[in-house]
Amino acid sequence: MARAAMGTWMDPMRAVYQRLLEAYGPQAWWPAETPFEVIVGALLMQQTAWRNVEAAIRNLKAAGLFDPATIAAAHIPILRKHVRVAGLFRTKPARLKAFCRHLLERAGGDLATYFDRPVDEIRADLLAQDGVGPETADSILLYAGGHPVFVVDAYTVRIGRRIGWFHTDAYETVQRRFEAHVPRDLAVYREYHALLVVHAKTVCRPTPRCDECPVRTRCAFGRRRRRGRARTIK
Ligand code: SF4
């Protein structure tokens, strides 16, 4: 699906997408069973490892605390007990509860209703919630809401700057660049973000392993490095 949707589009960002897909295979992101689980994961993900987020989600499920209405009504100390493993225990439980209240107020807790609105309106709502920045908002839109918006994170910026696609880390600028070049297809946007993450974690690391890189021939940094003239872009 993600591959077919690229059609005949010829663009360096397409070529890199296809090489990454061939190299790493489909990533099947986001690792969640429901859109609500995507949201909870996105809210808890800040400054912690994913395994801790998974543990917090397991705790909430085991305690019967895994729907918007129940979390919105739960006392903070109870929530804290279950999500503590995900860190920031003073802020994350309160943010989670406030976000669920927002879902109830806006759409009665029904996510299909919540996401069945213009993207700009939903994004503004998301960004107005405590602890939700552009990356979290767009992750929720893309993976929970089914809206094709390109998610930008530090990995996207690192890889894109090294390849030479842009020379900035400004969120909207990087996002616009991808959205101008990559066809707006939900499966492709989901897959592309996941592939950039896996590439950044395994090969295009802070100290990149360019010799092992599937997109080296398309990367300005990789080519400079081969000629011994590269300065590492973190
Ligand atoms: S060639 Fe090196 S810097 Fe460029 S994308 Fe590959 S690992 Fe990253």
Side-chain angles (χ1 to χ4, degrees), residues 120-134:
D120 289 349
E121 188 180 317
I122 308 168
R123 195 170 193 266
D125 265 356
L126 292 170
L127 289 172
Q129 305 313 304
D130 187 30
V132 177

PDB file of all heavy atoms in Angstrom, residues 120-134:
ATOM      1  N   ASP A 120      -6.982  21.596  10.504  1.00  0.00           N
ATOM      2  CA  ASP A 120      -6.487  22.797  11.193  1.00  0.00           C
ATOM      3  C   ASP A 120      -7.193  23.013  12.525  1.00  0.00           C
ATOM      4  O   ASP A 120      -6.585  23.457  13.501  1.00  0.00           O
ATOM      5  CB  ASP A 120      -6.663  24.042  10.305  1.00  0.00           C
ATOM      6  CG  ASP A 120      -5.708  24.028   9.134  1.00  0.00           C
ATOM      7  OD1 ASP A 120      -4.789  23.174   9.128  1.00  0.00           O
ATOM      8  OD2 ASP A 120      -5.885  24.848   8.222  1.00  0.00           O
ATOM      9  N   GLU A 121      -8.484  22.693  12.540  1.00  0.00           N
ATOM     10  CA  GLU A 121      -9.270  22.865  13.772  1.00  0.00           C
ATOM     11  C   GLU A 121      -8.817  21.860  14.840  1.00  0.00           C
ATOM     12  O   GLU A 121      -8.624  22.225  16.001  1.00  0.00           O
ATOM     13  CB  GLU A 121     -10.748  22.659  13.426  1.00  0.00           C
ATOM     14  CG  GLU A 121     -11.697  22.996  14.535  1.00  0.00           C
ATOM     15  CD  GLU A 121     -13.149  22.758  14.088  1.00  0.00           C
ATOM     16  OE1 GLU A 121     -13.510  23.133  12.955  1.00  0.00           O
ATOM     17  OE2 GLU A 121     -13.906  22.175  14.880  1.00  0.00           O
ATOM     18  N   ILE A 122      -8.626  20.612  14.415  1.00  0.00           N
ATOM     19  CA  ILE A 122      -8.184  19.587  15.386  1.00  0.00           C
ATOM     20  C   ILE A 122      -6.785  19.928  15.892  1.00  0.00           C
ATOM     21  O   ILE A 122      -6.495  19.853  17.090  1.00  0.00           O
ATOM     22  CB  ILE A 122      -8.150  18.185  14.736  1.00  0.00           C
ATOM     23  CG1 ILE A 122      -9.469  17.846  14.060  1.00  0.00           C
ATOM     24  CG2 ILE A 122      -7.823  17.126  15.791  1.00  0.00           C
ATOM     25  CD1 ILE A 122      -9.393  16.614  13.165  1.00  0.00           C
ATOM     26  N   ARG A 123      -5.917  20.330  14.953  1.00  0.00           N
ATOM     27  CA  ARG A 123      -4.531  20.632  15.344  1.00  0.00           C
ATOM     28  C   ARG A 123      -4.487  21.777  16.348  1.00  0.00           C
ATOM     29  O   ARG A 123      -3.721  21.760  17.320  1.00  0.00           O
ATOM     30  CB  ARG A 123      -3.704  20.969  14.092  1.00  0.00           C
ATOM     31  CG  ARG A 123      -2.213  20.949  14.328  1.00  0.00           C
ATOM     32  CD  ARG A 123      -1.467  21.040  12.991  1.00  0.00           C
ATOM     33  NE  ARG A 123      -0.067  20.728  13.161  1.00  0.00           N
ATOM     34  CZ  ARG A 123       0.876  21.657  13.359  1.00  0.00           C
ATOM     35  NH1 ARG A 123       0.556  22.930  13.425  1.00  0.00           N
ATOM     36  NH2 ARG A 123       2.145  21.297  13.519  1.00  0.00           N
ATOM     37  N   ALA A 124      -5.305  22.792  16.121  1.00  0.00           N
ATOM     38  CA  ALA A 124      -5.349  23.920  17.066  1.00  0.00           C
ATOM     39  C   ALA A 124      -5.824  23.446  18.435  1.00  0.00           C
ATOM     40  O   ALA A 124      -5.287  23.855  19.475  1.00  0.00           O
ATOM     41  CB  ALA A 124      -6.265  25.014  16.523  1.00  0.00           C
ATOM     42  N   ASP A 125      -6.817  22.581  18.454  1.00  0.00           N
ATOM     43  CA  ASP A 125      -7.298  22.007  19.721  1.00  0.00           C
ATOM     44  C   ASP A 125      -6.192  21.239  20.431  1.00  0.00           C
ATOM     45  O   ASP A 125      -5.997  21.367  21.644  1.00  0.00           O
ATOM     46  CB  ASP A 125      -8.450  21.032  19.444  1.00  0.00           C
ATOM     47  CG  ASP A 125      -9.811  21.688  19.593  1.00  0.00           C
ATOM     48  OD1 ASP A 125      -9.851  22.871  19.978  1.00  0.00           O
ATOM     49  OD2 ASP A 125     -10.809  21.008  19.332  1.00  0.00           O
ATOM     50  N   LEU A 126      -5.484  20.419  19.661  1.00  0.00           N
ATOM     51  CA  LEU A 126      -4.423  19.593  20.257  1.00  0.00           C
ATOM     52  C   LEU A 126      -3.319  20.473  20.825  1.00  0.00           C
ATOM     53  O   LEU A 126      -2.845  20.262  21.946  1.00  0.00           O
ATOM     54  CB  LEU A 126      -3.844  18.636  19.197  1.00  0.00           C
ATOM     55  CG  LEU A 126      -4.783  17.528  18.708  1.00  0.00           C
ATOM     56  CD1 LEU A 126      -4.184  16.811  17.504  1.00  0.00           C
ATOM     57  CD2 LEU A 126      -5.046  16.516  19.834  1.00  0.00           C
ATOM     58  N   LEU A 127      -2.909  21.474  20.049  1.00  0.00           N
ATOM     59  CA  LEU A 127      -1.807  22.339  20.489  1.00  0.00           C
ATOM     60  C   LEU A 127      -2.186  23.178  21.708  1.00  0.00           C
ATOM     61  O   LEU A 127      -1.295  23.660  22.418  1.00  0.00           O
ATOM     62  CB  LEU A 127      -1.367  23.247  19.332  1.00  0.00           C
ATOM     63  CG  LEU A 127      -0.637  22.534  18.200  1.00  0.00           C
ATOM     64  CD1 LEU A 127      -0.409  23.471  17.021  1.00  0.00           C
ATOM     65  CD2 LEU A 127       0.705  21.973  18.687  1.00  0.00           C
ATOM     66  N   ALA A 128      -3.476  23.328  21.935  1.00  0.00           N
ATOM     67  CA  ALA A 128      -3.916  24.109  23.107  1.00  0.00           C
ATOM     68  C   ALA A 128      -3.852  23.286  24.397  1.00  0.00           C
ATOM     69  O   ALA A 128      -4.014  23.831  25.484  1.00  0.00           O
ATOM     70  CB  ALA A 128      -5.340  24.613  22.885  1.00  0.00           C
ATOM     71  N   GLN A 129      -3.599  21.988  24.281  1.00  0.00           N
ATOM     72  CA  GLN A 129      -3.555  21.139  25.480  1.00  0.00           C
ATOM     73  C   GLN A 129      -2.164  21.178  26.109  1.00  0.00           C
ATOM     74  O   GLN A 129      -1.153  21.245  25.401  1.00  0.00           O
ATOM     75  CB  GLN A 129      -3.920  19.684  25.118  1.00  0.00           C
ATOM     76  CG  GLN A 129      -5.245  19.527  24.407  1.00  0.00           C
ATOM     77  CD  GLN A 129      -6.356  20.304  25.075  1.00  0.00           C
ATOM     78  OE1 GLN A 129      -6.619  20.123  26.259  1.00  0.00           O
ATOM     79  NE2 GLN A 129      -7.009  21.186  24.326  1.00  0.00           N
ATOM     80  N   ASP A 130      -2.156  21.106  27.412  1.00  0.00           N
ATOM     81  CA  ASP A 130      -0.892  21.173  28.148  1.00  0.00           C
ATOM     82  C   ASP A 130       0.042  20.021  27.736  1.00  0.00           C
ATOM     83  O   ASP A 130      -0.369  18.861  27.712  1.00  0.00           O
ATOM     84  CB  ASP A 130      -1.194  21.086  29.650  1.00  0.00           C
ATOM     85  CG  ASP A 130       0.056  21.317  30.476  1.00  0.00           C
ATOM     86  OD1 ASP A 130       0.940  22.063  30.020  1.00  0.00           O
ATOM     87  OD2 ASP A 130       0.141  20.740  31.576  1.00  0.00           O
ATOM     88  N   GLY A 131       1.263  20.373  27.389  1.00  0.00           N
ATOM     89  CA  GLY A 131       2.259  19.357  27.068  1.00  0.00           C
ATOM     90  C   GLY A 131       2.197  18.844  25.644  1.00  0.00           C
ATOM     91  O   GLY A 131       2.934  17.920  25.286  1.00  0.00           O
ATOM     92  N   VAL A 132       1.333  19.418  24.821  1.00  0.00           N
ATOM     93  CA  VAL A 132       1.235  18.957  23.427  1.00  0.00           C
ATOM     94  C   VAL A 132       1.881  19.980  22.497  1.00  0.00           C
ATOM     95  O   VAL A 132       1.384  21.097  22.335  1.00  0.00           O
ATOM     96  CB  VAL A 132      -0.245  18.730  23.010  1.00  0.00           C
ATOM     97  CG1 VAL A 132      -0.319  18.331  21.538  1.00  0.00           C
ATOM     98  CG2 VAL A 132      -0.887  17.667  23.888  1.00  0.00           C
ATOM     99  N   GLY A 133       3.007  19.597  21.929  1.00  0.00           N
ATOM    100  CA  GLY A 133       3.682  20.437  20.944  1.00  0.00           C
ATOM    101  C   GLY A 133       3.387  19.931  19.550  1.00  0.00           C
ATOM    102  O   GLY A 133       2.621  18.976  19.365  1.00  0.00           O
ATOM    103  N   PRO A 134       4.007  20.540  18.531  1.00  0.00           N
ATOM    104  CA  PRO A 134       3.702  20.151  17.149  1.00  0.00           C
ATOM    105  C   PRO A 134       3.957  18.675  16.844  1.00  0.00           C
ATOM    106  O   PRO A 134       3.146  18.039  16.161  1.00  0.00           O
ATOM    107  CB  PRO A 134       4.650  21.040  16.330  1.00  0.00           C
ATOM    108  CG  PRO A 134       4.926  22.213  17.207  1.00  0.00           C
ATOM    109  CD  PRO A 134       4.906  21.699  18.607  1.00  0.00           C
TER     110      PRO A 134
END
